[in-house]
Amino acid sequence: MFSGKIGFIGSGQMATALASGMLSAGLIQKDQLLACDVSSVSAEKFAAVTGGQICPSIAMLTEKADVIFLSVKPQSMAGVLQTLSQVSTSREKLIISIAAGITLATLEAGLGGPGRIVRVMPNTPALVGAGASAFALSQGTQAASANRPSDSQIVRQLLETVGVAEEVPESLMDAVTGLSGSGPAYVYQIIEALSDGGVRVGLPRATATRLAAQTVLGAAQMVLSTKEHPGALKDAVTSPGGTTIAGLHALESGGLRAALMTAVVAATQRAKELGQPPR
Ligand SMILES: NC(=O)C1=CN([C@@H]2O[C@H](COP(=O)(O)OP(=O)(O)OC[C@H]3O[C@@H](n4cnc5c(N)ncnc54)[C@H](O)[C@@H]3O)[C@@H](O)[C@H]2O)C=CC1
Ligand SMILES: O=C(O)[C@@H]1CCC=N1
């Protein structure tokens, strides 16, 4: 259980996934959840899905919340930081940015100096408790004291409630963004393509999609549970002269592995670009 209030500035896809995951896991109740958004459509959708309270302003949310997620697009961050820096109580709050590319230095500069600031890269499977997040702490985060956990412990608790969480040096946050932040979209394309393949060889669509998704889930669980190298697990599926090696040969001819590696590199590069100040 978490006893404080959690606020989201920006109540879109990722905020809704995190909030819903925390509620489903029983970490918080809906009366501990706040959000504010410039779009009333987005705010109302968040309230309808989560039951959280909508605040009319960033100032009001900041007064009430103990932990504040900055969950706007990177392009909207400068304006949010400017508004937040003018709310005197913001310096006491734990501020967690989930924006791709936005550095701790940019967050500190925008908020008027060092503070309780953390950079997190979550992903949308947090909605179903299967998220993969990484976080990097700024110098101004608080250590534990007799009556209070450290900011690091708070962030880890929030993220581990909705999946796995790794603390990483900030220099690796763009790489995390390119891999696990964007990664669910790569895997959805893989599942869709596998399903298309199943339909191509005669399976009904619903059956094909279910089998494809469960195959991805099962293979991922094998990697995590057995701790075997993925190549060794692949070898265990692959009979000499059998069906799997025929399929793997086709994947190699299509450049699947190179395409996935290039996707991670391209997304990492884009995260770096998003963190640059606009020209
Ligand atoms: N969608 C994803 O899978 C992931 C997104 N992120 C990061 O999360 C952040 C949000 O992304 P999404 O949820 O996908 O975007 P989104 O577009 O669904 O949500 C952003 C929300 O912020 C609101 N907003 C814009 N300016 C605002 C302001 N000044 N004050 C209050 N609200 C404002 C928008 O109206 C919108 O509802 C981004 O920085 C993104 O890099 C990180 C990991 C994964
Ligand atoms: O596409 C994006 O920019 C965001 C960041 C990671 C996932 N979605």
Side-chain angles (χ1 to χ4, degrees), residues 11-275:
S11 61
Q13 300 288 348
M14 197 60 237
T16 305
L18 284 169
S20 302
M22 289 174 196
L23 287 164
S24 298
L27 179 78
I28 52 168
Q29 303 298 312
K30 63 184 179 188
D31 60 0
Q32 293 170 265
L33 189 57
L34 309 162
C36 79
D37 200 295
V38 288
S39 156
S40 56
V41 173
S42 190
E44 281 161 22
K45 194 169 163 203
F46 180 93
V49 171
T50 65
Q53 184 196 334
I54 298 306
C55 297
S57 68
I58 287 177
M60 193 172 286
L61 179 140
T62 305
E63 293 299 333
K64 292 183 176 180
D66 302 287
V67 176
I68 300 172
F69 280 87
L70 307 183
S71 40
V72 297
K73 295 286 191 200
Q75 296 86 342
S76 308
M77 189 60 86
V80 167
L81 294 175
Q82 165 75 11
T83 307
L84 197 53
S85 68
Q86 286 160 6
V87 184
S88 58
T89 48
S90 67
R91 309 305 296 157
E92 302 153 21
K93 309 299 169 99
L94 176 55
I95 309 277
I96 301 176
S97 167
I98 63 166
I102 303 294
T103 62
L104 288 169
T106 297
L107 295 165
E108 287 176 345
L111 290 169
R116 300 176 64 199
I117 303 167
V118 181
R119 183 174 167 192
V120 166
M121 180 45 55
N123 67 10
T124 50
L127 177 73
V128 292
S133 302
F135 63 97
L137 304 172
S138 74
Q139 296 284 336
T141 47
Q142 289 182 345
S145 67
N147 56 356
R148 190 198 59 206
S150 69
D151 287 340
S152 172
Q153 287 169 322
I154 295 171
V155 170
R156 187 174 281 286
Q157 181 193 20
L158 297 180
L159 297 178
E160 288 189 342
T161 298
V162 294
V164 301
E166 298 264 351
E167 184 174 355
V168 299
E170 200 202 356
S171 58
L172 295 181
M173 287 299 285
D174 291 331
V176 169
T177 306
L179 176 56
S180 53
S182 296
Y186 314 155
V187 178
Y188 299 138
Q189 280 212 342
I190 290 169
I191 291 171
E192 187 184 21
L194 288 172
S195 173
D196 281 349
V199 171
R200 177 70 182 83
V201 292
L203 292 172
R205 171 63 70 184
T207 304
T209 299
R210 195 150 179 260
L211 290 175
Q214 179 63 27
T215 301
V216 169
L217 179 66
Q221 274 179 357
M222 287 287 282
V223 172
L224 292 173
S225 299
T226 67
K227 299 187 171 47
E228 291 262 10
H229 189 287
L233 293 168
K234 178 262 294 172
D235 285 352
V237 186
T238 309
S239 309
T243 62
T244 311
I245 196 65
L248 287 170
H249 191 183
L251 290 180
E252 287 296 315
S253 303
L256 176 83
R257 290 200 294 181
L260 288 171
M261 289 171 70
T262 307
V264 175
V265 173
T268 301
Q269 181 55 33
R270 183 62 189 140
K272 285 191 205 307
E273 289 167 10
L274 288 171

